[in-house]
Amino acid sequence: MTDSQQVQPSVPSVLIVDDTPANLELLAGMLKEKGCKVRAALNGRLALESVHSSPPDLILLDINMPEMNGYELCEILKSDIKYKEIPVIFLSASTEMVDKVKAFGVGGADYITKPFQLEEVQARVDTQLTLKKAREYLEDKNRFLEYTFSRFVSPKVVETMKLLPISGLLKMERCEVTILFADLRGFTSLANEISPEEVQETLNSFLSVMVKCLEDNDGMVDKFMGDGLMALFGAPFRQNDHAQRALSAAVAMQEAHRGWLQARAAVGKPARQMGIGIATGQVVAGAYGTANRMEYTALGHAVNLASRLCGAAQGGEILTIRETLEKTVSVVTVPAANAAAPAFAFSAKGRLSFKNIAEPVEVLSVTYGA
């Protein structure tokens, strides 16, 4: 990348509003030396027109001016959602507390008394511009998280993720997670027997029930895959009890699925049994893809193994591995006040061989309420 192609830092824009030309000249000179783009207005009406034309990053605002005083201008700006976040620093010769209180009451961010010291003005301008940039960063980050993850995790999880740095969510890093795969048994043959509209309705109905169970256990839907899905526990934010959450979600999914099957049968709608596979292990998790198309996922042996376990599960069955059992036993949390910790029962299925898995794997079948 050449120097001309590099992204240049944005230059802050400051609007100075004062009916004294000498003050405008003095402040403008100081801010231009700091690298700011400066505009000036001699009264509130002209300042309002300037803001409407191009909103600045910061306003230095005199109070006593003809046509519209500083209080009135600030109230107008703060009442408009497009301009309410622009920080306003009041400039006034008044040292009365009542004037300062009024300035903050109408939405001012700071108050400087005249005659002012340039060093003080510069420091306060720097502070407000820094705070504004920090607010914008947080707003951009939260919009990004809501757009990227709100389709896959519960609102509670999104709010938790907002507390984390974006870099920690996007970069691929090694971590221990539990992966859950679920899909319908024999759905491919069913899809050949029903209309495309019925296929869509069946999948939408099935997935909406399953996603609710995942959200209730703070899992993240990584992706939908035809008649199935992949979910993560322990990423993108860490959960010490990720294995337990995945097992709880799986049991809830099978219980909800039985109700779904009964409801579908009662009205003659198509449905199929579901198998679930769960594996715990080390993966790399984060965003991967191209510059203009990325997705958050996990990569590693545990992902492949969970998929194979799902494929081997019978309808209504949950298959997992010893690592998931051991992680669940080592970390047991109580999900709610006065509620008992979940009790899972595991029955041995023996050591099974799977495609693209080098060694046979000890597989366990999971039931609930032991």
Side-chain angles (χ1 to χ4, degrees):
M1 179 180 292
T2 65
D3 290 342
S4 61
Q5 292 174 314
Q6 291 178 354
V7 177
Q8 298 298 319
S10 60
V11 177
S13 172
V14 180
L15 173 62
I16 308 170
V17 190
D18 198 309
D19 61 345
T20 304
N23 287 339
L24 292 177
E25 184 177 355
L26 184 63
L27 291 168
M30 182 268 292
L31 291 170
K32 286 179 180 177
E33 286 185 3
K34 283 177 49 59
C36 295
K37 293 187 293 186
V38 179
R39 287 177 284 156
L42 287 168
N43 57 55
R45 179 183 59 79
L46 292 174
L48 191 58
E49 292 176 0
S50 180
V51 172
H52 287 163
S53 174
S54 179
D57 294 308
L58 175 71
I59 299 175
L60 291 174
L61 180 59
D62 188 23
I63 292 178
N64 296 315
M65 297 181 296
E67 298 191 49
M68 180 189 299
N69 67 37
Y71 296 137
E72 294 168 333
L73 174 59
C74 190
E75 283 186 306
I76 292 172
L77 293 175
K78 297 301 177 181
S79 66
D80 192 320
I81 192 171
K82 296 191 296 294
Y83 312 123
K84 65 182 299 184
E85 297 303 325
I86 301 174
V88 175
I89 300 178
F90 278 101
L91 302 170
S92 176
S94 174
T95 59
E96 296 296 325
M97 181 58 66
V98 65
D99 293 319
K100 295 182 180 180
V101 170
K102 185 174 182 180
F104 287 111
V106 298
D110 207 342
Y111 190 102
I112 301 174
T113 56
K114 299 177 181 178
F116 48 74
Q117 299 293 321
L118 288 180
E119 292 81 2
E120 179 187 9
V121 175
Q122 180 173 325
R124 293 179 184 244
V125 166
D126 287 343
T127 296
Q128 293 303 322
L129 289 174
T130 299
L131 290 173
K132 183 174 184 291
K133 186 177 295 186
R135 286 194 299 271
E136 290 173 346
Y137 166 79
L138 289 174
E139 290 168 2
D140 289 344
K141 170 191 171 184
N142 291 343
R143 280 193 294 268
F144 165 80
L145 291 175
E146 288 168 359
Y147 174 78
T148 305
F149 293 101
S150 62
R151 295 165 292 170
F152 307 119
V153 297
S154 67
K156 181 176 70 173
V157 174
V158 172
E159 291 304 312
T160 301
M161 291 166 65
K162 287 179 180 179
L163 304 177
L164 304 176
I166 288 181
S167 59
L169 297 171
L170 291 184
K171 70 178 181 180
M172 277 282 181
E173 63 179 359
R174 190 178 183 90
C175 58
E176 183 185 71
V177 300
T178 298
I179 302 101
L180 180 152
F181 277 84
D183 70 14
L184 297 174
R185 309 290 84 158
F187 190 80
T188 300
S189 60
L190 174 64
N192 292 327
E193 302 169 4
I194 60 178
S195 70
E197 291 78 12
E198 289 176 305
V199 171
Q200 180 188 30
E201 185 277 331
T202 302
L203 291 179
N204 286 344
S205 174
F206 163 69
L207 292 172
S208 64
V209 174
M210 297 303 102
V211 168
K212 175 65 167 56
C213 297
L214 292 167
E215 288 183 346
D216 289 345
N217 289 278
D218 294 337
M220 172 183 165
V221 178
D222 182 284
K223 58 178 65 72
F224 296 129
M225 301 171 295
D227 60 333
L229 58 83
M230 170 184 168
L232 299 178
F233 295 83
F237 69 96
R238 304 296 173 255
Q239 298 163 318
N240 194 39
D241 56 348
H242 52 80
Q244 178 183 309
R245 289 179 181 274
L247 290 172
S248 295
V251 170
M253 289 167 70
Q254 289 291 17
E255 290 177 346
H257 190 257
R258 285 191 287 273
W260 181 78
L261 289 172
Q262 293 171 2
R264 303 281 292 182
V267 294
K269 289 187 175 181
R272 285 291 186 272
Q273 292 279 349
M274 175 180 63
I276 297 177
I278 298 173
T280 299
Q282 292 288 323
V283 300
V284 287
Y288 88 110
T290 66
N292 57 3
R293 183 178 178 88
M294 302 190 77
E295 67 175 28
Y296 188 96
T297 193
L299 304 172
H301 169 73
V303 178
N304 187 31
L305 181 54
S307 176
R308 300 301 180 191
L309 290 167
C310 178
Q314 300 298 312
E317 190 173 36
I318 304 168
L319 296 183
T320 190
I321 57 175
R322 180 158 296 278
E323 287 83 349
T324 302
L325 163 61
E326 292 173 348
K327 186 67 177 180
T328 304
V329 171
S330 66
V331 182
V332 176
T333 60
V334 177
N338 302 318
F344 302 102
F346 300 85
S347 59
K349 300 281 288 188
R351 297 181 67 82
L352 304 182
S353 297
F354 298 105
K355 183 179 179 181
N356 296 329
I357 303 293
E359 300 290 336
V361 178
E362 182 181 358
V363 177
L364 306 170
S365 182
V366 183
T367 57
Y368 188 78

